[in-house]
Amino acid sequence: MSGKSWVDANYRFIAAYQEVNARIAQRQHALALYVTLVVSILAALVALKPGATAGHVPVEWLILGFPVASTCLAFLNFKAERAITNLRRFLSTLERLERNHHGLPSYNTDPGWATGANKARRFHDLAAVVLVAGGNGIGLAAGLSIYPERINENPLILWAAIGCSIASMLALLLTPKWGFRPDA
């Protein structure tokens, strides 16, 4: 027996696909995390509504929690997309070993399959945009409705929150630009 050890392409392919599935699961968990954060911040806004102690609690800073959560979602979505793209490039390379992609269907090498997968994954990005728009819209509207005086005293916070929210939605809409495309 020689001292060399190697793992053949099939095992590398299986391992890479397991990693792709893990990254897809991470994207789904990021959505769940975002919803949890938004609901928690909204609950805090409602729980701190004007009363005896409301004057001492900086509720306007809670308003910034909505765009911070959506920005984190956009970053996590981007990170997962880049990892999936890198893994799919690796898988595509393995599919092309010894020109096997000419005899067998190749999910990552054949543009027909890869494009279909990308279109299906686009719905995740759209769902994220809808969640961010809804979460920020409801959160900022609730903050403005419950604490109009505090928000009017600090309008810059509201505008910063709106700007950051819009930027995170744009980043989520642009995520497919960084996605995997098979080589021609």
Side-chain angles (χ1 to χ4, degrees):
M1 175 155 192
S2 72
K4 293 183 180 179
S5 176
W6 55 275
V7 178
D8 76 1
N10 287 335
Y11 290 111
R12 293 174 191 201
F13 194 84
I14 290 167
Y17 251 110
Q18 288 175 341
E19 186 66 23
V20 168
N21 288 332
R23 300 302 176 164
I24 292 170
Q26 283 180 344
R27 282 179 62 159
Q28 293 305 109
H29 290 216
L31 284 177
L33 175 63
Y34 173 75
V35 170
T36 302
L37 287 171
V38 167
V39 170
S40 298
I41 296 167
L42 190 56
L45 275 176
V46 172
L48 295 171
K49 64 181 160 185
T53 60
H56 306 298
V57 179
V59 293
E60 54 272 5
W61 291 104
L62 277 175
I63 297 296
L64 292 176
F66 295 106
V68 166
S70 59
T71 301
C72 288
L73 175 62
F75 286 150
L76 291 171
N77 207 43
F78 175 76
K79 177 196 76 128
E81 187 64 33
R82 295 304 302 155
I84 290 169
T85 296
N86 189 39
L87 288 162
R88 287 185 69 195
R89 280 195 183 105
F90 177 73
L91 290 165
S92 179
T93 300
L94 289 175
E95 287 174 356
R96 286 183 268 127
L97 284 177
E98 298 178 16
R99 299 182 48 86
N100 280 342
H101 66 288
H102 291 293
L104 296 170
S106 298
Y107 187 74
N108 294 293
T109 304
D110 182 345
W113 289 100
T115 302
N118 290 345
K119 285 180 183 177
R121 288 197 15 249
R122 178 78 168 137
F123 285 102
H124 171 89
D125 300 322
L126 295 175
V129 170
V130 169
L131 280 173
V132 166
N136 281 287
I138 291 168
L140 296 177
L144 194 55
S145 173
I146 297 170
Y147 307 100
E149 299 86 21
R150 298 287 294 270
I151 301 300
N152 287 333
E153 290 172 11
N154 299 297
L156 186 60
I157 288 177
L158 179 63
W159 288 110
I162 290 170
C164 193
S165 300
I166 291 170
S168 63
M169 285 188 287
L170 290 174
L172 288 166
L173 285 171
L174 293 174
T175 298
K177 298 263 185 225
W178 301 295
F180 174 76
R181 286 177 187 73
D183 297 330

